[in-house]
Amino acid sequence: DGERKAPHRLSAVLHQDGLGLAQQPVGEKTNEIPTIQPLLDGLPLAGAVVTADALHTQVETARYLVDEKQADYVFTVKDNQPTLKHDISDLGLEAFPPQHTDTDKGHGRIETRTIWTSTELTDYLTFPYAAQVFRLERHTTDLAGEHPRTEVAYGITSLPPAKADPARLLALNRGHWAIENRLHWVRDVTFDEDRCRARKGAGAHGLASRRNLVIRLFRLARAENIAEALRDCTWNRAQAFRLIGLAPA
């Protein structure tokens, strides 16, 4: 309405299926950090592994996940935790052979991901329940092997090596991007959410909830392409009714 910021919601998504499990409004005068606990409070997370954007690599969030939710965490470490990032970088893990590498081809590019892990800092770090740290490299080229690009990222986890070897840590880190690829991108592009001008009252939050519900229904129905599934329901009303367990009149 010209006086308020666009509504902002924080989401929790299941890696394996891309299902939106919960969402929580982020206050206009705060950010996502104090919102993550209300978001996760109602979810049964005992025994689960929670990944989160680097913004949530916070001492209190780590304690909350392990102490209160009996879960584990895998966090990315960036410049908002400069000392922690520096400590991991200073290990010089890249001087040794990587412990796991995988390569994928798709979307017009070849991507190779490599990981190094270490337990050397666990007695030194003050970050709660830290059991391992790791260094990731993502190397991408086009399908012709040209235009190379390399990104380096660091991380920390409460999972000890017995529960998460390098291959699993690499998979968990990659799986985190399901929230971008299987939820945010679908809402932004397929549902054109970024251009939605709803601002009054709870309108924007209600629309976001409905979009999440539709995506969840399609995921549970094993739809491979959400845009195609939407078109099918537009032309086939009976299909839309079946998705919500009703028979069309």
Side-chain angles (χ1 to χ4, degrees):
D1 58 11
E3 298 177 1
R4 300 175 61 188
K5 295 180 181 179
H8 179 187
R9 295 179 77 87
L10 184 64
S11 298
V13 174
L14 191 64
H15 279 212
Q16 295 92 325
D17 300 311
L19 296 178
L21 301 178
Q23 57 180 359
Q24 183 75 19
V26 177
E28 291 186 26
K29 296 182 180 180
T30 185
N31 59 30
E32 293 183 5
I33 294 173
T35 308
I36 192 170
Q37 293 190 25
L39 172 72
L40 300 180
D41 274 343
L43 297 179
L45 296 179
V49 180
V50 176
T51 65
D53 293 346
L55 177 68
H56 296 290
T57 305
Q58 305 288 336
V59 167
E60 289 306 315
T61 301
R63 286 202 181 102
Y64 165 79
L65 288 172
V66 178
D67 290 340
E68 296 189 33
K69 302 302 289 184
Q70 289 78 55
D72 283 293
Y73 63 80
V74 177
F75 291 156
T76 300
V77 178
K78 291 187 177 179
D79 291 338
N80 63 318
Q81 292 286 349
T83 302
L84 180 57
K85 180 182 176 183
H86 185 267
D87 288 339
I88 301 172
S89 175
D90 268 4
L91 286 172
L93 297 175
E94 67 277 14
F96 302 93
Q99 288 136 318
H100 186 74
T101 299
D102 65 27
T103 301
D104 281 328
K105 181 188 292 185
H107 305 288
R109 66 184 184 183
I110 300 171
E111 181 174 350
T112 300
R113 293 172 296 276
T114 304
I115 189 169
W116 295 258
T117 67
S118 176
T119 59
E120 289 186 23
L121 293 178
T122 54
D123 293 331
Y124 164 76
L125 294 177
T126 58
F127 200 86
Y129 301 105
Q132 296 186 78
V133 297
F134 55 90
R135 182 184 195 271
L136 291 171
E137 281 189 10
R138 302 183 190 93
H139 182 72
T140 60
T141 67
D142 61 21
L143 295 180
E146 300 177 348
H147 306 291
R149 178 183 176 186
T150 300
E151 297 177 345
V152 175
Y154 300 98
I156 191 167
T157 179
S158 61
L159 291 163
K163 290 186 177 181
D165 61 10
R168 187 185 183 202
L169 282 180
L170 191 60
L172 286 166
N173 179 268
R174 187 183 179 202
H176 174 70
W177 298 106
I179 199 166
E180 295 292 340
N181 300 333
R182 308 198 72 190
L183 181 68
H184 293 167
W185 190 89
V186 174
R187 281 170 51 173
D188 291 345
V189 178
T190 304
F191 288 88
D192 205 16
E193 185 174 67
D194 279 351
R195 290 199 298 170
C196 177
R197 306 309 299 168
R199 297 287 188 272
K200 297 285 188 179
H205 297 311
L207 287 171
S209 297
R210 285 162 176 78
R211 293 183 190 107
N212 279 350
L213 173 61
V214 172
I215 294 168
R216 185 180 179 90
L217 289 171
F218 285 143
R219 296 285 186 217
L220 290 172
R222 303 300 177 192
E224 294 294 329
N225 185 302
I226 300 297
E228 184 178 315
L230 278 171
R231 289 192 293 270
D232 183 44
C233 286
T234 300
W235 292 102
N236 184 351
R237 186 179 66 171
Q239 172 68 5
F241 276 102
R242 281 194 292 271
L243 282 171
I244 57 175
L246 298 175

